[in-house]
Amino acid sequence: MDIKEMLQKIYEADFPAKVDLIALLKTDKDEDIEEIYQFADMVRKEYMGDAIYLRGLIEFSNYCQKTCSYCGLNIGNKKLKRYRMSETEILKAAELIYQDNIRTIVFQSGEENLLDIDWFVNILKTIKKKYSDIAITLSLGEKSFLDYQKLRDAGADRYLLKMETYNKKLYQILHPHMDFDYRMKSLAYLKELGFQTGSGNIVGLKGQTLEDLANDIISLKKYSYDMVSVSPFIAHPETSLSHIRNADVPMVLKVLALTRIVTRNPHMPATTALGSMGKDYRIDAFKCGANIVMPNYSAVEHKKLYEIYPNKRCLDENVGLCKNCLKGMAESVGRVIGQGRGDSLK
Ligand code: 5AD
Ligand code: FES
């Protein structure tokens, strides 16, 4: 079978065969890799159209009690100065996002058990009341069912909770004392509560095999998420994986492309991480499946402290600048900026 036939086969399959995905992940000839990207671009165009949606990101707290071995926010990083934005700062950021005509706010934080849910719920309610046509996405890590419910009742529409890897054994090695099963269960809870849910993986993790990546792609199809994020591993100096080399970009883009081909219609971001690897590879991501990008509306001093990985892009940009830059980027690849909330197509 040639590459095109294989791509057609995994596209049509209810569940693609692991061997086929592994064979495609192994491709190393430029023209074959290009075929994969082009097929993904076609699927993206057919299901998602040409709009690229902006999601205004507010990284409102970098407190975290978790142990993710790749992440600079993990509890073991005592060098990091921790912050939590005030209500006034959060509302100001939300206003800027709204003024920029963006209709999704993404709230992201470390996974902090100190977060006062009632305080946060109040902020969500205020925003929802003030801007009735805005969607709210949360990325706060694992919470109790009751907390998820409170957040949903306050008007939150979507929730992102990445599995990072669907290999339970590998997950447990990379996340000491964390619970793979509760994370999976959380995604089921979130769905049950009516959230549009998102998950995804990291490519290039220590100990991750091509079989693991194939398995990730199959799992991302199986759970039929509304949003799927594929991002590259970037080594952070203050973590136990500081010596591991960064993800191979073509491999990340292949996983992104194959995930688009197999899962067809979730919203998929060109991640900031892909934009932070020397060159801005978000452009490449747009050409092989991505249809979302997340400009950062946190204040400069907070952006610097939200250091998941080093050399995060646009740290010195004032909010608003990114919006124009991204519009230019979208147009340069023949796309337009999406209007409205850009809800799930599922
Ligand atoms: N490299 C790449 N991505 C990372 N994330 C966390 N740490 C890193 C890293 N070192 C990603 C995880 C998390 C998201 C917010 O950032 O996928 O879910
Ligand atoms: Fe920030 Fe381009 S995305 S300046």
Side-chain angles (χ1 to χ4, degrees):
M1 242 190 297
D2 71 6
I3 289 277
K4 266 205 188 109
E5 286 165 348
M6 273 175 95
L7 292 167
Q8 190 67 31
K9 186 176 167 209
I10 63 156
Y11 170 68
E12 283 170 3
D14 282 339
F15 286 103
K18 216 185 256 186
V19 284
D20 290 340
L21 288 172
I22 291 173
L24 287 162
L25 288 169
K26 276 189 183 155
T27 49
D28 54 2
K29 279 205 230 100
D30 285 350
E31 63 264 33
D32 290 347
I33 296 178
E34 200 50 44
E35 290 280 359
I36 299 179
Y37 296 167
Q38 277 176 16
F39 200 103
D41 197 44
M42 208 173 68
V43 174
R44 184 274 309 155
K45 193 176 173 70
E46 181 178 345
Y47 286 87
M48 317 308 287
D50 282 335
I52 288 175
Y53 283 94
L54 304 185
R55 314 302 199 192
L57 177 65
I58 306 178
E59 295 162 334
F60 69 95
S61 159
N62 70 351
Y63 283 94
C64 191
Q65 85 246 11
K66 290 283 159 113
T67 55
C68 309
S69 57
Y70 42 82
C71 182
L73 302 192
N74 92 72
I75 189 168
N77 185 1
K78 306 290 184 211
K79 283 196 185 157
L80 182 67
K81 186 176 157 225
R82 305 281 170 165
Y83 73 89
R84 189 179 303 106
M85 286 166 68
S86 68
E87 175 168 352
T88 313
E89 287 169 328
I90 292 174
L91 293 177
K92 179 78 199 151
E95 189 182 345
L96 289 173
I97 291 170
Y98 197 83
Q99 280 170 355
D100 272 349
N101 213 21
I102 294 176
R103 290 295 176 266
T104 295
I105 300 178
V106 179
F107 282 104
Q108 190 168 83
S109 68
E111 199 170 306
E112 54 156 328
N113 52 8
L114 297 170
L115 178 68
D116 180 342
I117 280 284
D118 296 323
W119 169 81
F120 189 66
V121 153
N122 246 330
I123 294 175
L124 293 185
K125 284 186 181 158
T126 305
I127 291 173
K128 274 289 188 170
K129 203 163 152 204
K130 196 161 168 202
Y131 312 110
S132 60
D133 57 341
I134 214 158
I136 290 183
T137 302
L138 303 177
S139 175
L140 319 179
E142 292 163 31
K143 302 273 167 221
S144 66
F145 182 85
L146 214 65
D147 283 352
Y148 292 139
Q149 192 161 38
K150 278 188 185 175
L151 294 163
R152 179 79 183 120
D153 290 344
D157 303 273
R158 312 180 187 141
Y159 207 107
L160 302 170
L161 191 65
K162 290 184 70 180
M163 290 307 299
E164 322 295 6
T165 172
Y166 284 82
N167 175 340
K168 182 171 171 179
K169 231 167 139 185
L170 180 62
Y171 182 92
Q172 295 299 166
I173 293 169
L174 294 169
H175 306 85
H177 319 297
M178 288 168 62
D179 185 352
F180 180 89
D181 293 329
Y182 186 73
R183 207 166 175 86
M184 287 295 284
K185 200 158 152 190
S186 281
L187 283 159
Y189 285 160
L190 291 163
K191 245 181 200 178
E192 188 184 322
L193 287 165
F195 281 100
Q196 295 170 38
T197 55
S199 197
N201 69 349
I202 296 179
V203 177
L205 291 168
K206 184 186 174 201
Q208 186 181 50
T209 62
L210 291 185
E211 185 176 355
D212 290 329
L213 291 171
N215 185 43
D216 288 348
I217 296 170
I218 293 168
S219 301
L220 291 168
K221 164 121 185 171
K222 177 172 167 197
Y223 294 105
S224 190
Y225 303 111
D226 303 286
M227 305 165 280
V228 171
S229 157
V230 171
S231 42
F233 165 75
I234 301 176
H236 188 291
E238 296 302 326
T239 64
S240 60
L241 300 186
S242 58
H243 59 291
I244 301 296
R245 97 183 140 78
N246 290 347
D248 172 57
V249 173
M251 182 56 78
V252 180
L253 294 173
K254 273 190 272 180
V255 176
L256 173 69
L258 294 172
T259 304
R260 167 60 75 201
I261 294 166
V262 165
T263 63
R264 299 187 180 190
N265 69 350
H267 287 297
M268 297 186 73
T271 61
T272 306
L274 261 177
S276 308
M277 302 184 78
K279 204 188 123 200
D280 191 347
Y281 292 104
R282 292 179 301 180
I283 302 187
D284 305 77
F286 287 137
K287 293 198 262 189
C288 68
N291 72 317
I292 297 287
V293 68
M294 293 166 61
N296 193 330
Y297 281 77
S298 314
V300 172
E301 78 260 31
H302 294 142
K303 274 198 248 186
K304 291 201 165 135
L305 294 172
Y306 203 86
E307 200 191 47
I308 302 177
Y309 46 80
N311 306 317
K312 205 167 79 170
R313 73 164 300 110
C314 302
L315 283 184
D316 293 315
E317 306 303 338
N318 273 312
V319 288
L321 242 184
C322 291
K323 199 202 163 200
N324 288 328
C325 165
L326 293 170
K327 185 165 179 276
M329 199 189 297
E331 285 165 1
S332 79
V333 289
R335 312 271 276 278
V336 292
I337 297 298
Q339 303 296 317
R341 293 171 30 135
D343 277 304
S344 172
L345 298 183
K346 303 251 179 211

